[in-house]
Amino acid sequence: MNIRILPPHLRQQIAAGEVIERPASVVKELIENALDAGAQQIVVEIEHGGRQLIRVSDDGAGIASDEVSLAFERFATSKIYDSRDIEAVRTFGFRGEALPSIAAVSRVQVVTRPRRAALGTCAQIEAGQLLAVSEAGARLGTTIEVRDLFYNIPVRRKFLRSVRVELSHIIGVFTTFAVAFPEQAWTLICDGKALFELSATSYRDRLLALYGQEVTARLDMLDCEGLSGRLWGSVCRDPMVAHRSYRFFVNRRPVRHARLYRAVHAALGGTGMLLLFLEIAPELVDVNVHPAKREVRFRDEEGVYDLVFGALSRHFAGEKRYAGGVAEGQAPYGTAASAKAAQTFHAIGQVENTFVLAAGQGLLYLIDQHAAHERVLYDRLMEAIARGAPPRRQLIAPQVLMLAARELEVLERHRSDMEACGLSFDQFGPGAVAVRTIPDCLPARQAESFCRRLIQRLRDDMIERRGETIPQMIACLAAIKAGTPLPLAEQQQLLQGWSQSERAHACAHNRPVYFQLSLDEVRRKIGRTAGSCGEA
Ligand SMILES: Nc1ncnc2c1ncn2[C@@H]1O[C@H](COP(=O)(O)OP(=O)(O)OP(=O)(O)O)[C@@H](O)[C@H]1O
Ligand SMILES: [Mg+2]
């Protein structure tokens, strides 16, 4: 057989096949374009599982009339200019392939108007051919209508699954973006019925709107920082909540990553639900791996793996040992022995952003959030010191501190104690030190204020005058401060960690952590006995 160059329409169809696999791929590409255009409201309309119609409307930047036909050319993009831009892509799109791919395998109509234009543009493209372009009255933003997907590729059309299956893929794409972008308003209309109408809100309220109260209440918040970046999200490994529903986002781009998936699978025991958001410098991640941009590669695969696996393991290590034990008994303050009593208690809320109010087994507790967190951090630190493995956080850029002679002297005097806790520093010219690592209970952004406050305590002779140790100082400085608002999930998480402590009743400085009140006593005091008024 002779070798031939394929005709353009066939080349286009083959290329389109890599980007557009099914109706949900069209929805994904159009949503991404809307987000890249700065849309605040995105409406997705579907007919017949997307086979008949997919329409995505946004209120974003719009396309200038003289660029509308160009937008449907291959490799036409407004998002990158040169090869350096590919190394640090901040937009969803950059390949200039989505619109021409969609148009190669369907009948497309675009109506668009940028803010500056009085009139909009309407264009029709069919099987990659521009049929018509005209001026048109149009709302601000862009509406792209895709009809009869794969009408010109019967074999692809045959491979489409039932309307129900295709719709479930579309709903998957829609909800994935909607959860990652709570600050946008989203609507999904299927065959004339609104399936989702989500107004712009917070992440937590978006979870509530998408997954309901029951699931949201069982999702724990994750939030930690590592060398590779910040990791946050929601997790739960209860099989009753979900079965292996794991979603990963890198800089809010939904992605697949086999290694991360395995890390998560192992940490969650192959079940449960996870929404994991990794925030990382765009230079450290390569999104140009697959035409559909579903997969990513990290420059430091190991670092990202450690960050994810470490965060989940720490989270679940706490949960495994959690027996919910806090003090019981008559004394207002619990004792070490009574702290082991296995009771389950639940955070109800904060009082003055300082005390966590919790209930369990007929008792109410007011727990000093700072003291409880200090206890958790202190125990962890002491355990690590005993193992000779202080958990340290390497600072990407060393924190340089200019110090007075007395400060340099106390710092030098306590150097080995500080190193045992994960804090290391070098002399950095006259009167300056460069802090290289800090204990990992502190986020990197607090390195400077932490070091300054620690040095101040050392300079004030807190060790000599008050008998305070360096681990106590570190736990105290790193613990949540009184007056800090905490979401309920974080209050519960704090209680979980704290209740495992052998010395839950006392903070690192041995002051009481909580006050408890028996509900029986409350009933007695206010005369609520069986049969009193108001009983159900
Ligand atoms: N909803 C929209 N609002 C404003 N401009 C848009 C919209 N959709 C597409 N465009 C413009 O059309 C261009 C081509 O879009 P297309 O999706 O084909 O490529 P891309 O987004 O640049 O890259 P990719 O192929 O990776 O998605 C975009 O670069 C953008 O300038
Ligand atoms: Mg695009």
Side-chain angles (χ1 to χ4, degrees), residues 4 39 46 72 80 124 149 164 193 283 287 293 394 400 408 441 470 490:
R4 276 164 301 155
I46 301 296
F72 287 85
I80 58 169
Q124 270 103 24
L149 186 64
R164 197 175 50 82
K193 274 195 286 240
E283 299 76 29
V287 287
K293 295 169 255 110
Q394 183 91 34
V400 176
L408 280 169
C441 52
I470 288 181
E490 281 180 38

Side-chain angles (χ1 to χ4, degrees), residues 198-444:
L198 307 165
S199 40
T201 181
S202 64
Y203 171 68
R204 194 179 156 78
D205 284 349
R206 182 55 53 83
L207 288 182
L208 269 173
L210 287 173
Y211 304 112
Q213 170 70 39
E214 211 170 309
V215 170
T216 307
R218 291 162 94 165
L219 287 172
D220 289 333
M221 260 318 268
L222 276 179
D223 198 346
C224 65
E225 257 177 288
L227 275 182
S228 312
R230 178 177 169 224
L231 187 74
W232 63 279
S234 306
V235 64
C236 159
R237 61 173 172 190
D238 184 345
M240 301 302 282
V241 169
H243 182 64
R244 226 179 283 165
S245 161
Y246 309 149
R247 285 179 186 176
F248 305 102
F249 303 83
V250 175
N251 296 338
R252 296 218 258 176
R253 179 193 297 279
V255 297
R256 293 182 192 167
H257 194 283
R259 195 139 182 246
L260 281 192
Y261 184 89
R262 283 200 294 277
V264 166
H265 193 272
L268 271 78
T271 182
M273 175 170 173
L274 177 80
L275 296 162
L276 201 66
F277 294 86
L278 176 64
E279 285 169 17
I280 188 169
E283 299 76 29
L284 301 181
V285 47
D286 181 6
V287 287
N288 194 17
V289 178
H290 186 273
K293 295 169 255 110
R294 275 192 302 255
E295 282 151 39
V296 287
R297 274 198 221 111
F298 299 108
R299 195 176 293 172
D300 178 11
E301 293 271 332
E302 288 300 318
V304 171
Y305 181 89
D306 287 350
L307 179 65
V308 171
F309 192 71
L312 292 173
S313 311
R314 276 197 302 279
H315 181 80
F316 290 120
E319 190 183 75
K320 232 186 284 160
R321 281 180 282 149
Y322 174 49
V326 276
E328 46 97 291
Q330 304 315 310
Y333 300 117
T335 63
S338 61
K340 289 193 169 164
Q343 293 181 15
T344 313
F345 59 92
H346 300 285
I348 296 170
Q350 277 178 298
V351 179
E352 294 186 339
N353 289 337
T354 296
F355 301 102
V356 176
L357 178 63
Q361 307 269 311
L363 294 165
L364 274 186
Y365 300 88
L366 274 170
I367 298 146
D368 183 325
Q369 65 193 38
H370 171 77
H373 195 209
E374 186 184 284
R375 163 53 63 192
V376 173
L377 298 180
Y378 181 73
D379 283 2
R380 273 192 212 144
L381 197 54
M382 293 309 284
E383 204 181 290
I385 292 171
R387 275 189 282 114
R392 55 182 74 218
R393 186 186 299 288
Q394 183 91 34
L395 300 177
I396 297 170
Q399 180 69 56
V400 176
L401 302 170
M402 299 304 296
L403 299 176
R406 161 116 177 93
E407 292 170 328
L408 280 169
E409 184 270 320
V410 286
L411 208 57
E412 208 47 60
R413 184 147 36 99
H414 297 291
R415 180 188 277 274
S416 64
D417 287 347
M418 285 194 264
E419 279 177 354
C421 297
L423 192 138
S424 62
F425 55 89
D426 305 322
Q427 278 284 337
F428 196 76
V433 292
V435 178
R436 309 242 170 232
T437 65
I438 55 173
D440 88 333
C441 52
L442 284 151

